[in-house]
Amino acid sequence: MKNFLRFILVLLSNFAVACGFYPYGEDVRMSLFSPVHFHYHQFSEFDYSSLSFAPSSVYKENETALNDKLWGDYCKNKVSGKSISEVMNDLKLEDIRKDSKNEFLVYLFKNQKTEALDYLKFAKTCEQFNTWMQDPWERNESFVLPQRKLLVTKALENAESAKEKIIRKRYAFLAVRMAFYNEQKTEISEIYSKYFASKPEDVIDYFAMYFKAVSEKNEAKSNYLLAQVFKNVPEKRFVSYQNFYNSQPIENVLKFAKTNDEKASVYLLYSMKSDKNLDYLNAFYQLKPNDEALSFLLLREINKMEDWILTPYYTVFSPSMTGWGESDQNISTKTVFDRVESDRVYAEKVLDFVKKVELSKVENTNFWKLSKAYLEFLTKDYNSSLATLNSFKSNDPEFNNQKEIVKTLVLFANQKSGNTIIPKETESIILKNKNNRPFIFALARELEYHGNSTDAILLMSQADSQFSPDDYQTSYSAYWKNKNNRPDIFLDYYYSAWDYLDAVYTPFQMELLMKNLHENEAVKDEFSMWLYSKFKDKNENLNELLGTKYLRENRLHEAVFAFKKNNSAYWDTQNSLWERSENSSDLVMRNNPFYILKYTNAFIKQTDYFKLNKLTITQKLIDYLKKAEHPDENNKAYYYFLVANCYYNMTENGNAWMMKRNFLGGYNQSIIADNEEFNCGSLAKKYYLLAKKYSSSEKMKALCLRMAGRCENFKIYHELEKSDRYYFNENKEEDILARNQYYQQLKNQYSSDYETLMSNCEAFTRYFAGK
């Protein structure tokens, strides 16, 4: 029951997170110095990650577990590790017989290894007792089994009678393990003292040490023993860490360590933490510089610094393992980048340590040289990084690929702003790693930060899973923010390169992109074809987006020029970005924005009929503005009112919002250029007030104030939405009404019309007609 309740709690917590998704942790972590390129996979359960440590396979297919290797030594290495593994993990008691085809068993029977065969049969008998057996009524976490106690006794008897030392120890280990699960704490200590107290010789000693450690009452001593197991037995690392008392000061544990190896093991276990570890890294180096665990610790420390520096630098999110203590949505961009620079200072300290290391003493000099080059990249010492990269060679393909990735990052970053390109020498490297989306995304951001917005968006489209969701083995999907984000933005991140192009790029940057695409239409080299592939056949979409951007800036003639680049068939087939939904009629332009207002009965007689799309509406807006502004026009108020209606409808509150947006959310704060206009309708208000100015009818003037007041309301709501006043003000509506200067003018100047106009939109018809 307790386990079931735990499952329910975990399920509910995950459900809660899913219902309010916001990228964090591994969703945003940048990892470009990948552990998969190095040969420290036996520590892979403890690779740096924002996720909790979890057990996994620590051996590759061609590797042999330590216990299997010990059996191989017993057989004078004349049998395969695969046959030993099959006996250990797959065969049952009844499978251990003389006619077996298993190579390991054949050897034992042929060479009359009777003690070993008897041990294997006994071990198979004990298998079901080598774990906790819970009381089904959950009165106790575990309970004592008489059968297991008898097997402990039998194992000890067999240990005493065994002639071979290794078989004797194996029986003794079985006794220790079953005594642990049977909670025979006294027996564990006695057995361990008798058979395993001397210096460990093989994996069986460490297996026994693990059970001694987890039954040890002294926390410091338990940690000391666990550290020795952690260091020496890969398959026991996870459970050793699970039972590690991480609140126990390391100084207390080191008192039990007598040799440099033992002390180094303690530092290794205590290094499995998420914060800065340079002190322990240095301590381990002083004790055991030639150990691969030291290289793993350096790799892990570099992966931390990647997270602390590159995650915020490239994504503008907090590091995945943030210790900053604030909600990511409440942290300013300046704070994020200030902290990046402080973390670069720590990276410089780690780099100083690496520089002082005697390379002749470490187990993999090339790994340390590459680490040095990457740390130089992280600390922006690009020239030194290139020099380091050119100072060594390797025959390892995976290692060389990582080296090329680092070199490419450095070459991209080491360029002057305004003159940034994709260096020719990096093209083949990028193609080789085109499915490494974090890498491609990092390159895109380097270009963007250095002013090359065109190549940046081209690369970003290749890192964007939304373009092609099935082409990357890790299902990585980039999430990022813009450096100009504001704290009041709700949906403040991007995961689509097209959405980023829509929201962030200026018309000028769009023009540069489109010019580049046109100039490279005929390119046939492999890299260019890949680079431009996501924008192939998107000219019409880009024309429309460019026109939309001009429209957002109220540059109407330029918008029309861009829209006209698409032929009539594009508009006639309603193939606009904002008309592509088959399921939502809200995305389709259905009401003429000059004559019909959202949630308002029609009150203006329509005289112009035309197909509604971005081109025709913008053209008509220009036409009506031209008429309204002509000095000889007698009906200025009429045309200004139509113009105002169109601008009103192109806000989030209108029926033509899709003129300026691809989607409409419940909360539309954004960094799009016309954010204020889209939310507040200032242009609509401007033209309603011009209609009032040129109207000769008092009724029409009152209506113009009513509509200007609507726009003013949108502005007031928009301002209040940015503060708690909007959500916790019980007298919100009254306060807003009092702050609305146009409603107050309507009330004061047209008191007899105030109630009618404020409460009955059906009266708009006669007011517009001036009746």
Side-chain angles (χ1 to χ4, degrees):
M1 180 61 72
K2 279 183 279 188
N3 289 339
F4 179 74
L5 291 175
R6 290 175 189 145
F7 167 76
I8 292 297
L9 287 172
V10 170
L11 181 64
L12 289 175
S13 66
N14 289 337
F15 179 78
V17 171
C19 286
F21 174 75
Y22 191 79
Y24 74 103
E26 294 303 291
D27 298 326
V28 300
R29 182 168 74 92
M30 293 298 297
S31 181
L32 306 176
F33 202 68
S34 176
V36 301
H37 290 134
F38 307 109
H39 301 293
Y40 305 115
H41 54 272
Q42 291 188 356
F43 291 94
S44 60
E45 294 169 315
F46 298 89
D47 287 340
Y48 176 78
S49 167
S50 64
L51 303 176
S52 299
F53 296 138
S56 64
S57 176
V58 294
Y59 295 111
K60 292 186 176 181
E61 285 188 12
N62 60 342
E63 292 181 326
T64 304
L66 292 181
N67 184 39
D68 296 351
K69 189 173 185 300
L70 189 61
W71 276 114
D73 294 340
Y74 181 82
C75 298
K76 300 180 181 179
N77 296 314
K78 293 184 178 180
V79 300
S80 68
K82 184 178 180 180
S83 67
I84 297 171
S85 178
E86 182 184 31
V87 174
M88 298 297 112
N89 302 312
D90 301 326
L91 299 189
K92 299 177 182 178
L93 173 61
E94 56 269 26
D95 297 322
I96 302 176
R97 58 180 189 268
K98 196 167 187 178
D99 61 348
S100 173
K101 302 298 183 183
N102 178 276
E103 186 181 12
F104 176 37
L105 293 179
V106 168
Y107 177 89
L108 294 179
F109 278 107
K110 181 180 179 180
N111 291 278
Q112 298 181 354
K113 297 292 185 178
T114 306
E115 281 196 341
L117 288 165
D118 289 343
Y119 164 78
L120 289 173
K121 292 175 183 177
F122 181 77
K124 292 293 180 182
T125 303
C126 299
E127 277 184 350
Q128 63 178 312
F129 299 99
N130 292 331
T131 185
W132 292 114
M133 292 186 179
Q134 291 187 330
D135 181 348
W137 299 107
E138 296 197 353
R139 294 167 298 192
N140 301 293
E141 282 293 325
S142 63
F143 60 102
V144 175
L145 291 175
Q147 303 99 307
R148 188 156 48 192
K149 190 172 184 179
L150 291 173
L151 286 171
V152 171
T153 302
K154 182 61 176 174
L156 291 173
E157 291 175 357
N158 291 343
E160 282 295 310
S161 61
K163 295 178 181 178
E164 296 180 272
K165 181 180 178 181
I166 185 61
I167 302 299
R168 189 182 312 132
K169 285 204 303 185
R170 287 188 178 278
Y171 276 120
F173 165 66
L174 289 181
V176 166
R177 184 165 62 182
M178 287 188 292
F180 171 76
Y181 289 117
N182 222 37
E183 298 196 338
Q184 297 173 243
K185 302 290 179 68
T186 304
E187 285 85 343
I188 292 173
S189 182
E190 292 174 353
I191 300 167
Y192 189 83
S193 297
K194 182 174 181 179
Y195 291 95
F196 303 103
S198 59
K199 181 180 179 181
E201 298 174 345
D202 52 49
V203 67
I204 304 303
D205 294 310
Y206 288 110
F207 281 173
M209 185 182 289
Y210 167 75
F211 288 103
K212 169 62 176 171
V214 293
S215 61
E216 175 61 54
K217 293 181 179 179
N218 184 319
E219 291 184 2
K221 186 174 182 181
S222 177
N223 277 4
Y224 157 73
L225 294 170
L226 289 170
Q228 310 314 308
V229 178
F230 185 92
K231 171 64 178 68
N232 293 285
V233 187
E235 57 264 50
K236 284 294 183 183
R237 283 183 180 138
F238 180 75
V239 290
S240 295
Y241 184 83
Q242 267 191 318
N243 289 280
F244 166 60
Y245 296 99
N246 55 20
S247 61
Q248 183 64 222
I250 191 172
E251 294 77 15
N252 296 342
V253 180
L254 287 170
K255 293 175 182 177
F256 292 94
K258 306 302 181 186
T259 66
N260 283 354
D261 283 0
E262 291 178 351
K263 292 174 184 176
S265 297
V266 172
Y267 281 112
L268 175 63
L269 181 56
Y270 271 81
S271 293
M272 298 303 109
K273 56 183 181 177
S274 60
D275 56 353
K276 297 173 182 177
N277 192 54
L278 180 56
D279 289 345
Y280 292 172
L281 185 62
N282 188 33
F284 193 105
Y285 168 70
Q286 300 300 328
L287 294 164
K288 206 172 182 184
N290 64 339
D291 197 297
E292 69 170 7
L294 176 63
S295 298
F296 171 72
L297 289 181
L298 176 60
L299 171 62
R300 197 168 186 278
E301 203 66 9
I302 289 174
N303 291 152
K304 291 179 194 176
M305 287 179 285
E306 279 188 308
D307 188 18
W308 300 341
I309 296 171
L310 299 186
T311 296
Y313 183 68
Y314 289 137
T315 73
V316 199
F317 278 93
S318 299
S320 68
M321 287 284 283
T322 181
W324 293 356
E326 298 178 67
S327 168
D328 200 84
Q329 288 169 284
N330 296 324
I331 298 176
S332 70
T333 302
K334 182 179 184 303
T335 300
V336 169
F337 280 87
D338 286 347
R339 287 167 175 172
V340 166
E341 294 312 309
S342 69
D343 285 320
R344 288 192 200 274
V345 173
Y346 175 67
E348 289 175 356
K349 293 179 180 179
V350 178
L351 175 59
D352 288 340
F353 161 72
V354 172
K355 288 178 178 179
K356 293 174 184 177
V357 163
E358 293 185 49
L359 293 179
S360 61
K361 292 184 177 180
V362 297
E363 57 87 31
N364 185 339
T365 56
N366 276 350
F367 169 77
W368 282 76
K369 289 178 181 179
L370 182 56
S371 297
K372 176 176 176 287
Y374 193 59
L375 285 165
E376 287 165 336
F377 163 71
L378 291 177
T379 55
K380 295 186 175 182
D381 187 0
Y382 303 128
N383 291 329
S384 294
S385 181
L386 289 173
T388 302
L389 289 167
N390 292 329
S391 70
F392 66 98
K393 295 181 179 180
S394 170
N395 296 320
D396 183 336
E398 286 190 8
F399 183 89
N400 281 333
N401 189 44
Q402 179 65 76
K403 182 182 177 184
E404 290 176 336
I405 286 173
V406 174
K407 182 178 181 180
T408 302
L409 288 166
V410 175
L411 290 173
F412 268 66
N414 193 29
Q415 299 185 74
K416 292 182 179 180
S417 293
N419 295 308
T420 313
I421 60 170
I422 298 177
K424 191 71 177 176
E425 63 185 294
T426 67
E427 290 181 0
S428 61
I429 300 171
I430 294 171
L431 277 178
K432 186 194 304 183
N433 293 278
K434 65 183 179 180
N435 291 330
N436 184 343
R437 284 205 184 106
F439 170 56
I440 301 300
F441 178 74
L443 298 180
R445 291 296 256 185
E446 287 290 352
L447 292 176
E448 181 186 3
Y449 291 163
H450 284 78
N452 185 346
S453 60
T454 295
D455 287 333
I457 200 67
L458 293 173
L459 282 175
M460 198 172 286
S461 72
Q462 298 294 341
D464 174 10
S465 64
Q466 302 302 308
F467 271 101
S468 182
D470 302 319
D471 64 353
Y472 189 52
Q473 63 271 25
T474 66
S475 68
Y476 171 85
S477 181
Y479 296 98
W480 71 98
K481 302 181 186 182
N482 182 260
K483 292 171 72 172
N484 297 322
N485 272 5
R486 302 189 313 272
D488 60 319
I489 297 173
F490 178 66
L491 190 62
D492 65 343
Y493 64 90
Y494 303 89
Y495 53 90
S496 161
W498 185 269
D499 288 345
Y500 193 66
L501 184 68
D502 175 25
V504 173
Y505 274 50
T506 65
F508 176 70
Q509 289 173 315
M510 283 287 298
E511 295 273 16
L512 290 177
L513 170 64
M514 295 166 72
K515 181 175 182 289
N516 182 280
L517 291 171
H518 176 71
E519 291 173 348
N520 290 278
E521 281 181 338
V523 293
K524 296 297 182 182
D525 66 281
E526 183 182 5
F527 179 78
S528 296
M529 290 179 69
W530 168 80
L531 181 66
Y532 291 101
S533 62
K534 298 297 177 69
F535 281 92
K536 186 179 180 181
D537 302 325
K538 290 193 180 295
N539 288 340
E540 291 178 326
N541 303 136
L542 289 166
N543 290 334
E544 181 181 353
L545 181 56
L546 176 60
T548 303
K549 286 180 176 288
Y550 279 128
L551 189 59
R552 290 169 183 168
E553 295 185 3
N554 205 34
R555 296 159 68 177
L556 303 182
H557 291 280
E558 290 157 297
V560 167
F561 183 79
F563 290 146
K564 276 189 171 181
K565 290 181 180 179
N566 291 344
N567 58 37
S568 58
Y570 178 84
W571 302 109
D572 289 344
T573 57
Q574 291 193 333
N575 196 33
S576 305
L577 289 176
W578 45 269
E579 289 183 326
R580 287 184 178 169
S581 173
E582 297 178 357
N583 302 315
S584 176
S585 60
D586 289 341
L587 289 177
V588 180
M589 185 77 71
R590 296 192 180 280
N591 295 310
N592 191 310
F594 296 96
Y595 296 94
I596 300 173
L597 300 178
K598 197 172 183 180
Y599 306 128
T600 304
N601 292 336
F603 62 93
I604 307 173
K605 183 179 179 180
Q606 185 169 343
T607 58
D608 281 346
Y609 293 90
F610 54 91
K611 185 171 180 61
L612 302 173
N613 57 52
K614 290 185 178 182
L615 172 60
T616 58
I617 290 171
T618 308
Q619 287 174 321
K620 189 61 66 173
L621 181 58
I622 292 172
D623 184 36
Y624 287 164
L625 272 168
K626 184 177 180 180
K627 289 182 178 181
E629 293 169 351
H630 196 283
D632 297 331
E633 176 59 55
N634 295 322
N635 209 0
K636 286 179 176 288
Y638 173 79
Y639 287 113
Y640 273 131
F641 198 91
L642 295 186
V643 167
N645 283 349
C646 184
Y647 278 115
Y648 176 96
N649 278 316
M650 289 193 294
T651 70
E652 67 162 335
N653 301 287
N655 58 37
W657 58 263
M658 62 285 292
M659 290 286 290
K660 295 185 174 183
R661 294 292 186 274
N662 292 328
F663 64 90
L664 190 67
Y667 187 80
N668 293 299
Q669 300 285 3
S670 73
I671 62 170
I672 295 178
D674 68 336
N675 177 64
E676 295 298 311
E677 168 62 24
F678 188 68
N679 284 275
C680 302
S682 298
L683 285 170
K685 181 170 63 180
K686 169 186 173 181
Y687 288 109
Y688 282 129
L689 293 175
L690 280 172
K692 174 180 178 291
K693 176 182 176 181
Y694 287 102
S695 176
S696 58
S697 164
E698 294 302 306
K699 294 291 186 183
M700 179 66 166
K701 289 180 179 181
L703 177 60
C704 289
L705 279 178
R706 173 68 172 90
M707 293 307 301
R710 270 197 191 182
C711 299
E712 184 70 7
N713 255 22
F714 299 151
K715 178 182 177 182
I716 296 170
Y717 271 107
H718 180 64
E719 291 172 350
L720 289 176
E721 279 180 339
K722 300 176 184 179
S723 69
D724 291 341
R725 292 169 59 194
Y726 176 75
Y727 301 99
F728 300 107
N729 184 354
E730 295 181 358
N731 301 313
K732 177 174 58 182
E733 298 301 329
E734 292 83 352
D735 289 348
I736 290 173
L737 186 62
R739 291 175 59 183
N740 191 319
Q741 60 174 311
Y742 302 105
Y743 282 164
Q744 293 307 310
Q745 287 181 37
L746 178 62
K747 185 176 183 180
N748 295 330
Q749 298 174 18
Y750 303 93
S751 56
S752 61
D753 301 303
Y754 179 77
E755 289 298 331
T756 302
L757 283 172
M758 293 297 290
S759 61
N760 183 9
C761 61
E762 293 182 359
F764 283 14
T765 302
R766 59 187 178 86
Y767 274 82
F768 184 76
K771 299 177 182 178

